[in-house]
Amino acid sequence: MLNQVADIISNCTVGAALTGAGISAESGVPTFRGQQGLWKKFRPEQLATMEAFLASPDVVWEWYNWRRELISDVSPNPGHYALKEMEDFFSKFTLITQNVDNLHRVVGSSRVLELHGNIYHNKCVDCGLALAEDLEIDPSAIPVCGKCGGQVRPDVVWFGEMLPGDVMEFAFADAEKAEVFITVGTSALVQPAASLPLVAKRAGATLIEINPERTPLSDIADFSFRAKSGELLPQLVTVLRERQKGAGGK
Ligand code: APR
């Protein structure tokens, strides 16, 4: 299967990937729905919604401070680096992520579309103004926006909220143009992100899934690898590099 996928990629120029929490699992970042998933310990409605923030902004900030702490201690894993290297095999490669952990940016992926925002970014809860990233948020004294006085909140997409329109537009446009679409480490349950692989496939892309568990995409993917992304993606890059050498570079 790996060689077949490498053959296909070697003959394509436009690629895209959609990543979910699973690509960061091997970095030690908990997923949302797995056995040790975040949503097993906390209920999303309690923490990742505007209602929760308006009711208890201190509790929501305690949770995000904990997640920021957790994520600031982790490093990208070979799966993140392999997706950065994937750019060498396409003339255009878009990395669409549901993750807010910033790890794709840490490895230097060039075209990253963060559908659900970035956990290190802050914005005003009222006027939406982007605010300083390095703000240490004290849950007992939440800073306020200099422009309108609204409280600072994490600039991530909460349940029930719209995704950033421009990012979505680019994501769907790039999914439609992709000749190869790789979906990695996502349960493919949360819309609209879960539609992107379907949009790509319908537009004629070869759909490749990498996930140790089956998902709703497993039956429609052209290739579905029951594997960890930190293992499979580097193997795929190695095979592609060998082809690239054989073909005298591409
Ligand atoms: N390699 C690849 N996939 C993995 C690995 C791994 N090493 N470990 C776990 N996975 C898979 C799991 O099998 C699961 O299918 O990663 C997936 C993680 O699924 P979720 O926890 O549902 O995370 P995700 O799909 O990113 O959730 C989407 O839901 O709660 C919201 O905003 C949140 O962005 C998140 C969205």
Side-chain angles (χ1 to χ4, degrees):
M1 269 219 308
L2 210 53
N3 282 310
Q4 287 172 283
V5 165
D7 282 341
I8 291 166
I9 291 177
S10 305
N11 291 301
C12 291
T13 56
V14 180
L18 170 69
T19 65
I23 192 155
S24 299
E26 290 159 88
S27 296
V29 181
T31 60
F32 289 94
R33 294 169 185 82
Q35 287 320 309
Q36 302 307 319
L38 278 176
W39 297 147
K40 287 266 180 303
K41 298 189 188 82
F42 305 99
R43 285 163 36 76
E45 302 73 33
Q46 274 172 322
L47 294 158
T49 61
M50 176 65 95
E51 293 71 25
F53 185 81
L54 294 177
S56 331
D58 53 337
V59 172
V60 172
W61 266 118
E62 271 158 26
W63 188 56
Y64 276 95
N65 284 341
W66 171 72
R67 283 182 65 194
R68 283 180 174 180
E69 192 62 35
L70 182 104
I71 286 169
S72 60
D73 291 342
V74 303
S75 314
N77 66 64
H80 294 102
Y81 288 103
L83 280 181
K84 164 59 186 165
E85 289 195 70
M86 203 53 81
E87 296 175 5
D88 298 344
F89 307 108
F90 293 95
S91 55
K92 180 179 178 187
F93 186 76
T94 305
L95 207 164
I96 306 161
T97 188
Q98 301 170 88
N99 300 342
V100 299
D101 60 27
N102 202 50
L103 291 177
H104 288 303
R105 291 194 187 284
V106 170
V107 302
S109 284
S110 318
R111 184 172 165 72
V112 179
L113 299 177
E114 291 170 318
L115 299 179
H116 295 165
N118 183 308
I119 198 165
Y120 292 113
H121 296 173
N122 297 319
K123 70 177 180 182
C124 170
V125 71
D126 292 335
C127 71
L129 180 71
L131 299 169
E133 281 183 22
D134 52 2
L135 230 51
E136 194 46 47
I137 305 298
D138 173 356
S140 61
I142 297 170
V144 295
C145 167
K147 191 173 149 214
C148 76
Q151 285 184 310
V152 174
R153 59 161 280 187
D155 190 0
V156 295
V157 176
W158 282 334
F159 286 95
E161 289 190 321
M162 300 289 286
L163 276 64
D166 52 346
V167 176
M168 283 307 295
E169 223 174 283
F170 290 133
F172 275 91
D174 286 3
E176 268 171 1
K177 291 190 207 103
E179 297 167 279
V180 173
F181 194 95
I182 308 170
T183 172
V184 189
T186 182
S187 56
L189 296 172
V190 174
Q191 294 299 348
S195 301
L196 288 163
L198 304 172
V199 162
K201 175 105 178 101
R202 235 195 327 270
T206 296
L207 182 58
I208 300 155
E209 179 184 45
I210 302 170
N211 193 323
E213 291 170 19
R214 290 182 57 74
T215 75
L217 296 173
S218 301
D219 288 336
I220 58 157
D222 297 283
F223 300 90
S224 187
F225 293 92
R226 289 287 77 70
K228 290 184 173 182
S229 46
E231 293 166 8
L232 197 282
L233 281 168
Q235 289 166 15
L236 176 55
V237 167
T238 302
V239 174
L240 287 166
R241 284 265 182 258
E242 279 154 18
R243 270 171 174 62
Q244 207 174 42
K245 271 195 223 110
K250 178 174 153 185

